[in-house]
Structure formats: C-alpha cells, structure tokens
Amino acid sequence: MEGYDSKSGVTEHYVARPAGNESDKSSGAASTHAAPEVTGINQDTAAVTTVEEVQASKKGWFAYFKTRDFYIVLILGQILALCITSTNTFSSLLVEQGTSIPAFQTLFNYVLLNIVYTSFTLYRYGFKRWCRLLLKDGWKYIILSFLDVQGNYFFVLAYRYTTILSAQLINFFAIVIVVIISFIFLRVRYHITQIVGILICIGGVGILIGSDHITGATSSDGISKGNQVKGDLFALVGATCYGISNVVEEFVVSKRPLYEVVGQLGFWGMIWNGAQAGIFDKDQFRTATWNSKVGGYLTGYTLILSLFYSLAPIMFRLSSAAFFNISLLTGNFWGVCIGVKVFHLSIHWMYPIAFVCIVGGLLVYFVSKKVLGEATKPWLGQNQEQGVAGVGTARRRVVRGDTVV
C-alpha cells in the first residue's frame, strides 16, 4: 500500500497490517521506497544492491546491448513512432472529410487520460490527499500541461501555412532544445558516441527530406512567402514547447508515480485545451463535417494518442528525452508505409536507406552505455535514492534486482 505525505510531498510505501495493531507500523513494517505502481515490496525480501554494483555486472562497450532493457527501449521507441504516425494519418483522414479542428480533436485525449489516471490517483491517494497534491505540486503540472498543449497546437497550425519540408527541418530544433536544457539544468553529460548517434539519425531524416524534395512531396506551390514565414514561426514555437515539455516530464516522472503525472497532465491539459478549443476552433467547428467516418477517425485518434501518452513516461524513465525524440524520427518512414495502403503512396528507393541510417544512429547512441543505460538520472543521487522505484527506473533495479516491470 502507499500513502501521500502532504508535508514532504513524498509517496510512502508500507506493508498492510491487520487493524488494531498500530505498533507494527513503527516497528516491523518500516516504510520502504518501492514502486508506487506496485505494492507489497518489503526491505527484508527486496534485492539489496547499489547502482555501481548493477553497472559492474557487465563491463566494456556494448554492455547495454547485452541487456533486456536495450531491446525494450528500442522497440518501445518504434511503437511510439508508430503511434505518432497513426495519429497523423487520422488527422489527414479528418481533413479529407472536411474536419480540421486541431485543438478540439486533441481535447478527447486529455479527457480520457483524466478519466483513467486521475480516477486511479484518487483511489490511491483519497480526495483530501489529492487536493493537497493540487495545492502543493499543481503549479508544476500546470506548466507541463501548458507546454504540451501548445506544442500540439502550434505544430498542427504550422502545417496550414508552411511546407512539410520546413516543418520537418524546424522539428529538429526540439532535439537541440532537449540536449541544451538537459545539459544545463539536469546536469546530463553526453558521451561523444551519443552526439554521433544523434547526428547520424538527423542525417537519416535528411535523406528522407531529400527524397520528398526530389519527388515533389514538399512542394510549396500555393503558399505565399508571408504565410510560409508565419508557418515556420509556428513550427519553431511548437518545437520549443515540445522540447521543454519532454525534459520537464522526464524530470517529474523520475520522482513521482506514473499515474499521478499522466493524471495531472490529463487534468490540466483538459482545461488548457478546452479553453483553447473554445476560443480558436469555433469557426472550424461550425463548418466541420460530422458523420460516422469522422466519429471513427476521432475515436482512433484519441485511443492511439492516449496510448502514446501512457507509454512515453516509461520511455523517459528507461532512456531520456533526447533518445525519445530521435526515436520518433523513424515516424516519417512508417508514415509512408501506412500511406502506401491508406493514401496509395509509393515508397521512394531512398526511404529504406534513411530508415537503416536512423536505426543505426539509435544503436550508436547506446554504444558506450553501461548496464542501466540512461535509466540512471544524475539529479536523483548516486543510488537514485531521490527517485521513485517505479516501472522502468534504475531505482527499481536497485530495490528489486533484475526487473523492469
């Protein structure tokens, strides 16, 4: 079981005892630092080790390649890329039906996240403790949700005014933002192989963009210079918001339970997004087409985006905001693969080369990493004692041994 200490803001974990035996709480059932997502972890049975001991279990370069976590991170990154590609596909299908309401269609995602995760948070904390959470830490989640909502809104808005080529190029700015903020504020230090890996991934996307330019997929016909500048600025704002929100979420989810973070993101995001939809989407809402296909596309968009928001925090724990962003670069390739079936597109011969290049960059990124990869966060202490022992964290490995979930 777990409780929420309103004074310290820390979730405490303890083993349940029969009623009427209060003395056991102070003697035999000392509070442990187990995962908020899993109950019943006792210090007597938990693995007793340190981060250094775990890291030393496999030595040398490519040590991380020999772990299960590496393959989980690699596959999880591609699942997230497919989720993004799928939501983009549903957005394109909605536009074909005459329905383009970016803020409104994302609102359902935040509503669903709020229903699922805030309900579970209330169940775990109780209403009073949940209210204390809002008073103590609510401002952090208000900022996080605001950045997330604006990132979504401005990037969708950018595609109305600029070319896909420009938007894709500016999207790289999110990676730059993540690396700089993580380096300055979170004390993350990148190995030369990680920098090389990021550059290789960017080179792979460069091949994709070159292919699109050759085939005319990024043509700017019909777009005025004034509108293109406006679109580029919107894309720049969106990329900046995305980059900052990714770093903030990585920091918060390393210290707090996953269900609390996602629940608060859904709760405040629903308010921000609802207000924005009411202000900016009124005209589009009136002229939009409403039929069974639109309803199906909105449902698919909401379910897949909610899955993305549920898996992303695990990715931030297992790896980092930087790897999260470069993993999503394969989304362009998956988008064309889906487009072959849905929109009858053709795959240019440069696309498979670009995909292999990006995946190669992802592998190079982890060449020098030890057993725990990027799961060890420098802001959590030597043995990650300031972090939560949740799903995907290094602290969980210290407490429970060789386990991820």
Side-chain angles (χ1 to χ4, degrees):
M1 297 177 64
E2 75 176 340
Y4 181 79
D5 186 344
S6 60
K7 293 182 179 178
S8 63
V10 175
T11 306
E12 296 182 346
H13 310 270
Y14 50 89
V15 179
R17 297 292 182 184
N21 195 7
E22 294 295 327
S23 61
D24 287 344
K25 283 186 180 180
S26 59
S27 57
S31 162
T32 68
H33 297 283
E37 293 87 351
V38 180
T39 60
I41 299 176
N42 194 308
Q43 288 180 335
D44 295 334
T45 58
V48 179
T49 185
T50 64
V51 168
E52 186 177 355
E53 290 172 339
V54 175
Q55 297 280 42
S57 61
K58 293 182 178 67
K59 298 181 179 180
W61 286 38
F62 305 101
Y64 191 53
F65 286 23
K66 303 172 186 176
T67 67
R68 177 184 54 189
D69 292 13
F70 167 72
Y71 299 97
I72 292 175
V73 167
L74 205 62
I75 294 171
L76 183 57
Q78 295 315 295
I79 292 174
L80 292 171
L82 279 168
C83 286
I84 287 294
T85 301
S86 300
T87 57
N88 291 339
T89 302
F90 279 119
S91 294
S92 299
L93 291 170
L94 285 169
V95 171
E96 284 189 352
Q97 293 294 317
T99 302
S100 178
I101 41 178
F104 180 76
Q105 76 182 46
T106 309
L107 174 63
F108 296 107
N109 166 60
Y110 292 111
V111 171
L112 181 59
L113 292 176
N114 184 49
I115 291 173
V116 174
Y117 290 99
T118 300
S119 298
F120 188 71
T121 306
L122 283 166
Y123 167 73
R124 296 301 297 269
Y125 289 178
F127 183 72
K128 289 184 179 180
R129 289 173 177 170
W130 181 76
C131 289
R132 294 191 194 110
L133 168 67
L134 295 184
L135 293 174
K136 178 176 175 53
D137 296 323
W139 65 273
K140 302 175 186 176
Y141 294 115
I142 290 175
I143 295 173
L144 173 61
S145 61
F146 175 79
L147 291 169
D148 186 73
V149 169
Q150 302 315 310
N152 288 332
Y153 181 78
F154 279 106
F155 236 99
V156 173
L157 194 62
Y159 281 98
R160 291 185 184 177
Y161 300 100
T162 190
T163 63
I164 296 175
L165 174 61
S166 294
Q168 287 174 334
L169 287 172
I170 295 172
N171 191 36
F172 290 138
F173 191 63
I175 300 175
V176 176
I177 290 291
V178 165
V179 171
I180 292 176
I181 293 179
S182 297
F183 182 85
I184 295 175
F185 295 103
L186 300 185
R187 304 191 303 276
V188 176
R189 297 297 177 258
Y190 295 96
H191 192 273
I192 185 64
T193 56
Q194 292 178 283
I195 301 297
V196 171
I198 292 174
L199 293 176
I200 292 174
C201 289
I202 291 176
V205 177
I207 296 175
L208 287 176
I209 294 174
S211 173
D212 288 342
H213 186 67
I214 292 171
T215 58
T218 58
S219 174
S220 59
D221 295 342
I223 300 178
S224 67
K225 289 185 178 179
N227 278 342
Q228 186 160 354
V229 171
K230 184 192 297 184
D232 290 346
L233 289 174
F234 285 151
L236 188 63
V237 173
T240 302
C241 290
Y242 272 141
I244 297 173
S245 67
N246 288 163
V247 176
V248 172
E249 186 171 356
E250 181 188 357
F251 176 81
V252 174
V253 83
S254 69
K255 289 176 168 285
R256 305 301 306 161
L258 185 149
Y259 57 81
E260 177 191 303
V261 176
V262 181
Q264 287 292 290
L265 185 59
F267 178 77
W268 296 109
M270 179 180 65
I271 297 173
W272 282 119
N273 199 256
Q276 203 153 314
I279 295 171
F280 298 110
D281 282 353
K282 290 186 295 184
D283 295 336
Q284 291 89 341
F285 191 85
R286 295 191 190 100
T287 59
T289 301
W290 300 102
N291 54 39
S292 57
K293 283 188 176 181
V294 169
Y297 296 153
L298 283 173
T299 301
Y301 176 88
T302 300
L303 292 176
I304 293 176
L305 191 58
S306 295
L307 175 64
F308 177 86
Y309 273 77
S310 299
L311 295 177
I314 301 176
M315 186 68 164
F316 289 136
R317 285 177 171 181
L318 282 168
S319 59
S320 65
F323 187 79
F324 168 82
N325 276 274
I326 62 175
S327 293
L328 298 183
L329 295 179
T330 57
N332 289 2
F333 176 81
W334 296 122
V336 172
C337 292
I338 293 176
V340 168
K341 182 68 176 177
V342 179
F343 302 112
H344 308 292
L345 302 177
S346 59
I347 296 181
H348 191 268
W349 62 270
M350 295 174 70
Y351 266 73
I353 297 175
F355 180 77
V356 172
C357 187
I358 295 172
V359 173
L362 297 178
L363 297 177
V364 171
Y365 185 88
F366 282 122
V367 162
S368 63
K369 281 296 176 182
K370 297 181 180 180
V371 173
L372 292 175
E374 289 189 304
T376 53
K377 311 297 182 182
W379 59 88
L380 297 180
Q382 184 177 0
N383 285 311
Q384 307 294 283
E385 60 276 1
Q386 297 177 42
V388 66
V391 174
T393 62
R395 175 64 182 163
R396 187 172 181 81
R397 289 285 297 273
V398 172
V399 173
R400 291 176 61 92
D402 188 19
T403 184
V404 176
V405 181

